[in-house]
Amino acid sequence: TQSESCASMAWASRPRTAAFRFNPQQLSFLHKAFDSVPKISEQQALVNMKRLFNSTDPDDPYYKRFVLKEFQIKGWFGSEKRRRAVAIKHRVVQEAMSRSMEQERPAAGGAAG
């Protein structure tokens, strides 16, 4: 029957795709582009990346096929912005906790003495 053939095809299960990883040269480029002053757009980062990654040698780490798509650059920029915001919040909390602990030490020492 038709329902049996659909069940046997397992239409809802897809083969897992390999996770995409940026290579070290791409990451270095993305960090420099993100930290550039003045800030550059994803479109300008793409133009700059095409200039840098222009090798025709497949063994070269700057092979032109390693140029990212604009949506990949945009996604990385967004993720990096979130990562840095979380890191700042984490640092502020750690500093506040350190100050709080330092303020409690003299009070505890003075009460014991």
Side-chain angles (χ1 to χ4, degrees):
T1 66
Q2 186 176 0
S3 63
E4 289 173 356
S5 65
C6 286
S8 66
M9 290 180 4
W11 59 271
S13 61
R14 265 185 252 180
R16 290 189 81 108
T17 58
F20 175 79
R21 301 279 185 246
F22 296 105
N23 69 32
Q25 290 75 21
Q26 290 169 324
L27 283 172
S28 175
F29 172 83
L30 289 167
H31 280 285
K32 288 176 186 173
F34 189 83
D35 291 334
S36 68
V37 177
K39 290 281 185 204
I40 61 171
S41 67
E42 292 87 2
Q43 295 86 5
Q44 186 59 47
L46 177 61
V47 169
N48 295 350
M49 189 173 211
K50 285 180 180 179
R51 278 192 210 128
L52 180 62
F53 287 76
N54 62 1
S55 173
T56 55
D57 178 9
D59 295 328
D60 189 340
Y62 293 97
Y63 182 42
K64 64 183 177 182
R65 306 245 4 240
F66 292 141
V67 172
L68 299 172
K69 305 281 188 258
E70 186 177 338
F71 78 89
Q72 292 172 305
I73 295 171
K74 186 173 185 162
W76 190 90
F77 274 25
S79 294
E80 185 66 9
K81 185 176 180 179
R82 284 188 299 281
R83 276 190 291 271
R84 291 184 184 196
V86 167
I88 289 170
K89 286 180 185 177
H90 181 71
R91 188 174 25 219
V92 167
V93 168
Q94 291 297 325
E95 289 171 359
M97 289 175 62
S98 293
R99 282 193 301 271
S100 175
M101 299 271 293
E102 289 172 4
Q103 290 174 353
E104 289 176 10
R105 284 186 194 148

